[in-house]
Every structure is written in C-alpha cells, then in structure tokens.
Amino acid sequence: MGKDRGNRLSGAWHRFVAVVLCAVFMVLGLGSCRNVFAPPPCMPPAFTVTPSEARPGDRVTVSAPDTKCDARYGEGAQVSVQVLDLYATPVLDELAPMTDDGGFSFVFTVPEGMSPGKAGVTAYPYNVDWCDDTGVNNRADAGPGTLIQVSCAQRLVPLVVLGAGA
C-alpha cells in the first residue's frame, strides 16, 4: 500500500509541475506578444496619386479614404506628403490635414525645376511611428520632436514627370 501511495504522489507531482510550467509559458507567451484581446492592427490607408503622369506646373492630387478600422489619429491629425525625384531626393515636403480615420486629399503643383523622368510620392501619418509594422498608433509627440524613421518600408507611388515636348 505504501508503494501505491508513492506512485500516486509521483503522478500528482508530475501533473502539478506540468500545469505550473504550462501556466508560465502561457503568461510569457501572452506577455511578449501583442495583446490577443486588442483589435486587429490598424495600418494607415493606401493612398493614390492622380494623375500618374504630369508636367512641371501641373496639379496632382494625393488622397486616401478613411480606414475601415479605428485608427484614432486625433483632432488636428496631419499627413506628411513627399515628392521624391529619380534619386530619392525630396523636391516637395508638405503637411496636410488628415481625418481621425486617416483620410485626406492633398493637391500640389509639380515644381517647375523638376527633371523629366520617374519620381515617387510618399504619404504617411505625421508624428506617428509606424516602423514597428504592428499597426499600433505609436504617438511620437510625447517629447521633443526627435523621431527619425529608420529601416521603415515606406509606400512609394510612382509619378512620371513629363518633359515640355512630351
């Protein structure tokens, strides 16, 4: 009878250790990942550039619809719009108003001195860090404006700048 009791304690002990280890792994797993109860990631909406070809002096519209998720950019939200030349040098860098859900419409004039050829347009929420690619709205305005984007894939929409005779 003593031997049987020892086996039951040994089995109970193994089950107890297994449950504790399972609980520890579960807590560590949930703690190191995004909150599983949070809403799905909410990335900035895709934007368009129209027309896709323009001459210096022409007007071009960059716009995006509101997101389908709850972005909550807040009152006074802005979008940063850049036009980059063939060498990725900014030839235009402007801020425009954006809705709480990320929608915007910005019209610019293609700069007169811009060389013909391929160019690109980027647009992303201003003063928000999206480089973590989780869709979490990481406000960067908590302190001094020292946010520098590094190794962050930016969406680049092509814009072809036509020459005078094209």
Side-chain angles (χ1 to χ4, degrees), residues 115-137:
S115 300
K118 294 181 180 178
V121 177
T122 66
Y124 52 90
Y126 176 71
N127 215 19
V128 177
D129 177 17
W130 289 101
C131 288
D132 65 2
D133 295 329
T134 62
V136 175
N137 189 332

Side-chain angles (χ1 to χ4, degrees), residues 47-105:
F47 64 92
T48 59
V49 175
T50 49
S52 60
E53 296 181 347
R55 290 180 174 75
D58 288 352
R59 294 172 60 84
V60 176
T61 301
V62 182
S63 62
D66 284 343
T67 61
K68 302 292 184 214
C69 52
D70 188 17
R72 293 181 285 176
Y73 289 105
E75 188 176 326
Q78 294 179 303
V79 61
S80 174
V81 179
Q82 287 186 331
V83 178
L84 309 172
D85 67 10
L86 179 62
Y87 303 104
T89 303
V91 294
L92 182 129
D93 190 355
E94 297 284 334
L95 294 176
M98 182 174 67
T99 68
D100 186 45
D101 286 323
F104 68 91
S105 183

Side-chain angles (χ1 to χ4, degrees), residues 11-24:
W13 175 250
H14 285 111
R15 281 190 296 277
F16 173 76
V17 169
V19 167
V20 167
L21 286 174
C22 199
V24 166

